[in-house]
Amino acid sequence: MPEKVLMKGNEAIAEAALRAGCRHYFGYPITPQTELTAYMAKKLPKMEGGVFLQAESEISAINMVYGVAGTGKRVMTSSSSPGISLKQEGISYIAGADLPAVIVNVQRGGPGLGGIQPSQSDYFQATKGGGHGDYHLIVLTPSSVQEMADLTSLAFDLADKYRCPAMLLADGTMGQMMEPVALPEEKESGIEKPWAVTGTQMKREHNIINSLYLSPEVLEKTNFERFERYAEIEKNEVRYESYMMDDADYALVAFGIAARVAKNAITAMRKEGLKVGLIRPITIWPFPKKAIREAADKVKGFVSVELSMGQMIEDVKLAEECLRPVVLCNRAGGMIPSVDQIIKVTKELAEGGKN
Amino acid sequence: MKRMTLFCGHYGSGKTNLAVNYALYLRRKNLPVSLADIDIVNPYFRSKDSKDLLEKEGVKVIALPFANSSVDLPALPSETYALVEDKSRYAVLDIGGDDRGAYALGRFVPYILEENDYDMFYVVNFYRPLTTTVDEAIEVMREIEGACGLKFTGIINNSNLGQETTVEKIQATYERAQKLSETTFLPLVYTAAEESIATEDMVPLKLQRRPFEI
């Protein structure tokens, strides 16, 4: 095992991206993810083939990502909530052109300019579209600085494998907190990209990167084919952590920082004899529907713990098919649910007080 | 002990914890102390987090009213000048990380040089990814000196792995700290460690509290 280092979550993402072979980064600074941009600015210019560019805007940065993605090189951009909104058009184009790219959102409170404290209120944006048209992103949600590194690495692999953009959806706490990390090993993509625009050398037909299909028949066919790939992703790439679910009477569902608070609440509640477990989605698209549905056969109810006004709760409800009550335990605007709040909401559910 | 003590270093090397602990140390000697949070880079984890504790112990805290208010504004309070002008008080300065943080110091440098009663300590954590080697640590050191126009006078080894810090992990950095000291001709002032694990050859630190356990 490599020697651990002490890193901020934002730095861990940057270093993991470099070790995954990413040599192209385009971004624009915004709190609370700026350390990621700063790290790339420091390291990439010294690396062979490394390009760091602080674009004049987020819109510009995402279109640079679109360009590099078309050449098959590993490429990344990062921002925080308002900046990710600006990137949505470009993300839709990247998805529409079937290109791999990694987009990082270290979320802050919103809507609008909001604040600079942590949030999970871009869940809908990340999982339900964000940009226009029928498309999905693979969305990974880290819950520790170690996972900031590991899931960044995974995001590049999945993006390449399925030719679609992948998003790392973190929050301000994850970006700012420092924890020891064992960094992933250096690696290459290892995936052939015969579609990439790399120059024909007069030896093959031109590759064309495009998302414009004026024939509705062809556009429809392209959409259906893309959704076959999405079905493969839903079949193969669902990731979640099941924590103390074996004997649980109630299930908390939480990701990111909320999952860490939830674990502390579970420890406290189990001391009092209330058997509570946690399902922690690591991918929120694809969402761990099966795990939630299976849990619904065993538990008496679900608590969705979120740093938003309640977004993931809709997916929890869809997945458990109205079998059990699902209640929300939330804070918003940069606030974080406390252990006490989670205990209170779970106990109310256990006492049958709310649905 | 110089009248002014400046803590500079790489992001996340522990400058704020060292500055807060040093200010409290001076107070325990009954000396008049001001601590200034002049980090214009990072809106989180600042010495203002310890404002209540510091003020209770009699340390005058100079920080922007915006600090920690989520207003992400790179500005300094006008009373920062009192640090250089009021020579009756000891001054502890918590500077922002890297060269970018050190730029903010520049405007005070002519006063600091004129008075010439200061220490500027380079805080290094060899477990931070951009300062894991002696060469990298020197690179960051030179960038900071270039940005603020002031030379370091000593080194503090604050190597740690957060909650996974052990005495052995700290001792494993002694050789690098020594080499850094020899290469730069700067004294290794001390090695710091969180108070529960600090051995006799280390300076024990009380760390700023996390708002909650996670």
Side-chain angles (χ1 to χ4, degrees):
Chain A
M1 195 153 132
E3 190 181 42
K4 284 189 177 179
V5 286
L6 185 67
M7 295 187 101
K8 273 196 173 199
N10 287 333
E11 297 168 337
I13 294 171
E15 183 60 37
L18 298 176
R19 287 169 184 240
C22 172
R23 293 292 178 274
H24 296 81
Y25 173 92
F26 307 99
Y28 187 84
I30 178 171
T31 307
Q33 67 79 53
T34 299
E35 294 84 0
L36 201 172
T37 311
Y39 196 96
M40 290 300 202
K42 200 158 181 94
K43 278 216 148 176
L44 266 175
K46 294 179 193 161
M47 302 178 91
E48 198 187 330
V51 177
F52 166 87
L53 207 150
Q54 178 173 324
E56 74 272 28
S57 75
E58 286 85 349
I59 297 168
S60 172
I62 192 69
N63 283 292
M64 292 174 184
V65 169
Y66 183 22
V68 170
T71 71
K73 301 281 188 198
R74 288 193 155 180
V75 57
M76 175 189 254
T77 186
S78 64
S79 190
S80 180
S81 309
I84 296 292
S85 291
L86 284 166
K87 291 183 203 279
Q88 290 303 328
E89 181 199 40
I91 294 171
S92 171
Y93 276 56
I94 293 168
D98 296 313
L99 297 176
V102 174
I103 299 134
V104 177
N105 182 0
V106 183
Q107 297 164 92
R108 55 191 250 181
L113 266 180
I116 63 165
Q117 301 299 334
S119 172
Q120 298 178 329
S121 54
D122 303 345
Y123 181 97
F124 283 154
Q125 187 193 54
T127 61
K128 314 282 179 194
H132 59 281
D134 280 316
Y135 76 93
H136 283 294
L137 305 173
I138 297 172
V139 186
L140 301 159
T141 62
S143 189
S144 65
V145 176
Q146 183 65 55
E147 279 192 349
M148 291 286 251
D150 295 344
L151 297 182
T152 297
S153 192
L154 178 65
F156 278 103
D157 290 345
L158 294 179
D160 275 357
K161 185 174 173 191
Y162 294 101
R163 280 184 68 182
C164 68
M167 175 176 277
L168 194 77
L169 188 72
D171 64 68
T173 350
M174 287 296 131
Q176 291 299 322
M177 70 195 291
M178 288 176 85
E179 285 182 330
V181 190
L183 288 163
E185 296 291 316
E186 303 261 350
K187 64 177 176 188
E188 297 289 323
S189 166
I191 291 169
E192 292 289 313
K193 294 173 178 171
W195 46 263
V197 180
T198 53
T200 64
Q201 315 296 327
M202 308 295 276
K203 286 174 188 161
R204 60 163 170 79
E205 286 297 299
H206 289 91
N207 285 334
I208 295 169
I209 303 295
N210 185 25
S211 67
L212 177 67
Y213 298 88
L214 289 175
S215 151
E217 290 83 3
V218 177
L219 180 54
E220 183 193 46
K221 184 167 167 283
T222 312
N223 273 293
F224 272 96
E225 283 169 0
R226 189 172 300 119
F227 269 69
E228 282 169 23
R229 242 182 310 135
Y230 291 157
E232 282 296 299
I233 297 171
E234 291 201 82
K235 200 173 87 190
N236 302 331
E237 306 300 346
V238 171
R239 284 169 173 80
Y240 64 94
E241 178 192 0
S242 187
Y243 177 77
M244 294 200 169
M245 281 300 295
D246 286 348
D247 63 344
D249 289 327
Y250 295 91
L252 308 182
V253 187
F255 65 94
I257 184 68
R260 292 176 65 146
V261 184
K263 283 184 179 176
N264 286 345
I266 288 167
T267 307
M269 284 188 278
R270 284 190 171 254
K271 275 187 193 149
E272 295 179 32
L274 192 58
K275 288 181 192 157
V276 184
L278 168 72
I279 296 172
R280 174 172 76 90
I282 295 171
T283 50
I284 52 172
W285 196 88
F287 192 72
K289 292 179 199 166
K290 194 158 158 270
I292 302 274
R293 175 62 189 80
E294 284 170 4
D297 287 333
K298 295 196 268 180
V299 301
K300 296 172 188 160
F302 294 89
V303 181
S304 189
V305 186
E306 305 184 48
L307 277 69
S308 74
M309 292 309 292
Q311 301 192 8
M312 180 178 67
I313 191 170
E314 295 192 1
D315 282 336
V316 177
K317 283 181 173 172
L318 280 171
E320 62 101 45
E321 296 174 354
C322 303
L323 289 170
R324 307 289 172 205
V326 184
V327 297
L328 179 66
C329 176
N330 70 317
R331 295 296 298 272
M335 302 301 290
I336 299 174
S338 66
V339 166
D340 288 346
Q341 186 190 357
I342 296 172
I343 293 173
K344 183 169 172 285
V345 173
T346 310
K347 281 185 175 170
E348 278 170 5
L349 173 68
E351 286 153 16
K354 270 165 74 175
N355 188 353
Chain B
M1 202 159 52
K2 299 292 168 59
R3 192 185 73 76
M4 295 187 86
T5 308
L6 292 74
F7 292 89
C8 303
H10 179 42
Y11 266 132
S13 56
K15 301 172 294 294
T16 295
N17 271 310
L18 286 165
V20 168
N21 276 269
Y22 186 66
L24 293 172
Y25 163 81
L26 293 176
R27 272 309 293 153
R28 285 197 296 276
K29 290 179 174 295
N30 244 333
L31 299 167
V33 185
S34 299
L35 180 144
D37 178 343
I38 58 173
D39 187 343
I40 57 158
V41 182
N42 187 351
Y44 313 98
F45 312 115
R46 311 178 50 139
S47 48
K48 202 189 171 193
D49 289 328
S50 296
K51 189 167 191 275
D52 292 346
L53 168 74
L54 288 163
E55 286 181 344
K56 205 179 100 211
E57 298 296 329
V59 178
K60 183 173 158 57
V61 178
I62 298 173
L64 260 197
F66 307 119
N68 278 6
S69 69
S70 287
V71 178
D72 198 355
L73 197 64
L76 291 177
S78 53
E79 58 181 324
T80 313
Y81 277 101
L83 289 176
V84 289
E85 282 171 3
D86 180 0
K87 298 188 174 62
S88 69
R89 301 179 70 83
Y90 282 84
V92 179
L93 279 77
D94 176 15
I95 316 292
D98 289 349
D99 48 351
R100 291 177 290 274
Y103 283 121
L105 189 57
R107 65 164 86 167
F108 306 108
V109 165
Y111 304 92
I112 295 171
L113 285 174
E114 192 190 334
E115 183 189 5
N116 196 23
D117 189 9
Y118 75 94
D119 267 320
M120 182 160 99
F121 293 138
Y122 181 62
V123 182
V124 61
N125 177 357
F126 286 110
Y127 290 103
R128 292 281 293 142
L130 295 184
T131 57
T132 56
T133 67
V134 173
D135 286 346
E136 287 170 336
I138 291 174
E139 190 185 329
V140 172
M141 180 187 268
R142 298 301 177 225
E143 284 169 357
I144 293 171
E145 288 180 335
C148 70
L150 211 53
K151 291 274 189 194
F152 282 106
T153 62
I155 295 161
I156 297 172
N157 181 9
N158 190 42
S159 294
N160 74 87
L161 255 183
Q163 288 167 317
E164 290 181 22
T165 311
T166 60
V167 170
E168 294 71 33
K169 292 267 184 215
I170 298 171
Q171 286 166 345
T173 65
Y174 279 11
E175 201 179 312
R176 274 174 279 176
Q178 203 55 48
K179 180 89 193 300
L180 177 64
S181 165
E182 284 164 14
T183 314
T184 58
F185 301 102
L186 291 172
L188 181 59
V189 184
Y190 59 83
T191 298
E194 197 273 320
E195 58 185 356
S196 69
I197 61 163
T199 55
E200 275 180 11
D201 60 336
M202 301 173 190
V203 168
L205 295 181
K206 218 182 256 305
L207 301 186
Q208 295 206 95
R209 222 161 37 87
R210 287 185 180 212
F212 56 90
E213 281 311 307
I214 39 172

